[in-house]
Amino acid sequence: MNNKEKIETPVEFRKLQKRLKKNVGNAIVDYNMIEDGDVVMACISGGKDSFAMLDILLQLRKSAPINFEVIAVNLDQKQPGFPEHILPDYFEKLGIPYYIVDKDTYSVVTEKIEEGKTTCGLCSRLRRGTLYSFAEKINATKIALGHHLDDIVETMFLNMFYGSRLKAMPPKLRSDDGRNVVIRPLAYCREKDLIEYANHEQFPIIPCNLCGSQENLQRQNIKAMLIDWDNQTPGRVMSVFKSMQNISPSQLADKNLFDFENLPLDREGEKAQYAFDEAVVSSTNIDESMYIDVSNVY
């Protein structure tokens, strides 16, 4: 969908808006993302997802049964040509509190990463450190990021294929030092819905010129794979996400999550009823007298 394509009728938009608000509300409740008295630092990059997140959070704040504050924060990474006036103008128009934080991570990334290599990893780490520190400075109790369901599923496959780890983006995360809590209110939202929403609302989207122009990024390969899957079998990406909410450690292979080493055999209790457990031996060369008579055991 390009920028000129919009939802055709007000009814369709209201349905989309209702669906997104419901998804965000359910994610907030399911993971206790926002509590009474919270100061939520909404990190706004200038992309469609963070704009939609801010818009929906502001709507939910009006009707929520709890009181919480939303502060918009943009990290200006000093990318050449970045239109510095757009976000302040937008925040002023909304009439919400905001901060523009200047941190020249662009120079650091371009200096340390060879041309043509993926910059996203280092850029993300530098950005995270700055935002964590600033959240404490303004006494924000939650840091809201605009990652959606598709981002979460993509990250899981990215880690599986390229990092040999079964790991994704959790809807709610406490930092390693325990000093910050990150929330992802869009965790139940599909990217295609957010694209439609952003197009209708005409958010002042600012493209990321740091890494957005790099071709053949690993994440783009994963994204293409998932789009193909969803086209062939609608609902498959949603099924993958739901599987992350329904994990059986004993059916995987991580020795740190499940004690595979100590699984003692125990036949003292009542025998479970197995399906089709009445097997008939038609031929054998084993002397059955070697085994105990189990007919009187059960």
Side-chain angles (χ1 to χ4, degrees):
M1 178 179 292
N2 59 46
N3 289 333
K4 295 182 180 180
E5 292 176 330
K6 303 183 183 68
I7 300 170
E8 294 298 327
T9 69
V11 173
E12 289 175 339
F13 175 70
R14 285 197 296 271
K15 288 181 179 179
L16 172 64
Q17 186 179 49
K18 183 178 180 180
R19 180 163 67 250
L20 288 172
K21 288 176 65 177
K22 180 179 179 181
N23 287 339
V24 172
N26 286 342
I28 289 174
V29 171
D30 287 351
Y31 294 95
N32 194 29
M33 291 184 183
I34 300 177
E35 301 169 83
D36 192 46
D38 267 341
V39 176
V40 179
M41 187 175 93
C43 299
I44 311 302
S45 65
K48 68 180 189 310
D49 304 323
S50 59
F51 274 125
M53 178 188 71
L54 175 63
D55 188 72
I56 296 169
L57 284 177
L58 292 176
Q59 292 180 51
L60 291 176
R61 186 184 60 171
K62 296 178 181 178
S63 58
I66 59 174
N67 295 314
F68 63 94
E69 184 178 353
V70 177
I71 299 176
V73 172
N74 168 254
L75 175 60
D76 184 346
Q77 298 176 266
K78 298 305 175 184
Q79 298 177 34
F82 185 83
E84 297 181 354
H85 66 285
I86 289 181
L87 288 174
D89 289 351
Y90 181 73
F91 298 145
E92 290 286 356
K93 182 180 178 181
L94 291 179
I96 63 171
Y98 73 91
Y99 291 98
I100 304 296
V101 181
D102 294 337
K103 188 73 172 180
D104 188 3
T105 61
Y106 178 85
S107 296
V108 177
V109 171
T110 53
E111 178 184 344
K112 292 184 176 295
I113 303 297
E114 296 179 16
E115 185 176 354
K117 297 293 184 180
T118 301
T119 60
C120 298
L122 177 59
C123 181
S124 177
R125 290 194 297 273
L126 294 173
R127 188 169 61 245
R128 182 169 57 245
T130 302
L131 292 174
Y132 278 8
S133 297
F134 192 72
E136 286 198 63
K137 185 175 181 179
I138 65 173
N139 294 317
T141 53
K142 300 288 170 58
I143 301 173
L145 303 181
H147 299 120
H148 46 69
L149 184 148
D150 296 76
D151 285 328
I152 293 172
V153 174
E154 288 166 15
T155 300
M156 185 186 73
F157 282 107
L158 194 65
N159 283 315
M160 288 174 64
F161 292 172
Y162 301 107
S164 300
R165 294 177 296 174
L166 192 57
K167 175 184 176 182
M169 295 173 173
K172 184 177 181 181
L173 172 72
R174 190 177 74 159
S175 60
D176 291 340
D177 60 8
R179 300 180 70 90
N180 285 287
V181 173
V182 173
I183 59 174
R184 295 183 169 95
L186 302 181
Y188 290 173
C189 298
R190 295 301 307 270
E191 183 174 25
K192 58 186 178 182
D193 285 344
L194 295 169
I195 291 173
E196 291 187 16
Y197 192 76
N199 285 336
H200 183 278
E201 293 294 271
Q202 291 293 284
F203 296 129
I205 306 298
I206 304 172
C208 176
N209 296 321
L210 180 60
C211 58
S213 61
Q214 292 181 341
E215 297 297 328
N216 301 317
L217 294 176
Q218 294 169 341
R219 182 174 288 276
Q220 296 306 314
N221 294 333
I222 297 295
K223 182 184 289 289
M225 178 191 76
L226 294 178
I227 290 174
D228 185 54
W229 281 5
D230 231 11
N231 288 337
Q232 293 186 39
T233 310
R236 176 166 290 181
V237 172
M238 181 64 74
S239 295
V240 173
F241 177 78
K242 288 182 178 180
S243 74
M244 286 189 261
Q245 298 176 302
N246 188 27
I247 297 173
S248 301
S250 65
Q251 306 303 302
L252 297 175
D254 190 331
K255 296 183 292 183
N256 294 319
L257 290 181
F258 188 81
D259 187 5
F260 292 98
E261 184 177 352
N262 298 298
L263 293 177
L265 192 65
D266 182 5
R267 291 176 173 168
E268 295 299 323
E270 184 177 352
K271 180 182 179 182
Q273 295 298 313
Y274 301 123
F276 306 105
D277 61 350
E278 295 297 330
V280 176
V281 177
S282 61
S283 176
T284 182
N285 65 353
I286 296 176
D287 183 357
E288 294 186 2
S289 65
M290 296 171 54
Y291 300 94
I292 64 171
D293 179 6
V294 298
S295 60
N296 296 320
V297 175
Y298 300 106

